Amino acid sequence: EESQSFYDAVGGEETFRRLVRRFYEGVVDDPLLWPMYPAEDLAGAEDRLSLFLMQYWGGPGTYSERRGHPRLRMRHNPFVIGGAERDAWLRHMHDAVLSLELPEELEKRLWDYLVYAAHSMVNAPDA
Ligand code: HEM
């Protein structure tokens, strides 16, 4: 129905958890990205990204209850994110998005947002 949130339309929490689980399966095998992530707190990292995306798309506001205002660019300042890091992040996210097998229109909306967000997170010139 028209008024349904995107969060509900794609299947709610379970879908976002699957997306992020699959994304991190790619990240842990990525020699460029994995060193940036907290190996000792992979479950925590999965939780933070899942909760953020759920909140962004109209689900529960648990992310901000726990973490406050997202301020994502600021939170990424500790990490050097150039074009290569952005593209690697997007490659794993693309695999993850496709794995959901969403209806085309929903898939496109999710993917377009992720591409835009990833481009906005770049904070370093390419070497
Ligand atoms: C956290 C890298 C893009 C959302 C992180 C962390 C790293 C990272 C290393 C720390 C993991 C943790 O402890 O939670 C990157 C890289 C990106 C990227 C290399 C490439 C462009 C994005 C995008 C989004 C996003 C596009 C949103 C759509 C988040 C969130 C957190 C996070 C919500 C947890 C923030 C917190 O509450 O502390 N990211 N990220 N990231 N990232 Fe990214």
Side-chain angles (χ1 to χ4, degrees), residues 29-108:
D29 281 331
D30 190 309
L32 182 64
L33 293 186
W34 183 231
M36 299 166 71
Y37 283 86
E40 72 294 342
D41 189 25
L42 178 57
E46 284 192 12
D47 211 38
R48 288 184 282 277
L49 184 54
S50 302
L51 290 173
F52 170 78
L53 292 171
M54 287 161 55
Q55 174 174 299
Y56 177 85
W57 288 106
T62 315
Y63 177 84
S64 283
E65 282 165 23
R66 295 197 189 155
R67 307 289 291 166
H69 189 286
R71 298 178 195 281
L72 283 190
R73 257 192 73 86
M74 188 198 77
R75 288 190 204 267
H76 286 76
N77 278 343
F79 317 116
V80 176
I81 304 178
E85 288 79 11
R86 173 199 66 208
D87 291 347
W89 192 97
L90 279 171
R91 195 160 58 244
H92 301 304
M93 198 48 99
H94 195 233
D95 289 345
V97 168
L98 292 181
S99 79
L100 297 177
E101 302 188 318
L102 294 172
E104 193 176 331
E105 194 188 312
L106 298 176
E107 180 183 283
K108 180 173 163 31

Side-chain angles (χ1 to χ4, degrees), residues 4 6 9 17 19-21 26-27 31 48 53 60 62 64-65 73 79 81 83-84 106 110-112 115 119-120:
Q4 198 188 29
F6 185 87
R17 296 279 180 191
L19 173 73
V20 170
R21 169 74 43 95
V27 169
R48 288 184 282 277
L53 292 171
T62 315
S64 283
E65 282 165 23
R73 257 192 73 86
F79 317 116
I81 304 178
L106 298 176
L110 178 59
W111 177 241
D112 287 353
V115 170
H119 280 74
S120 79

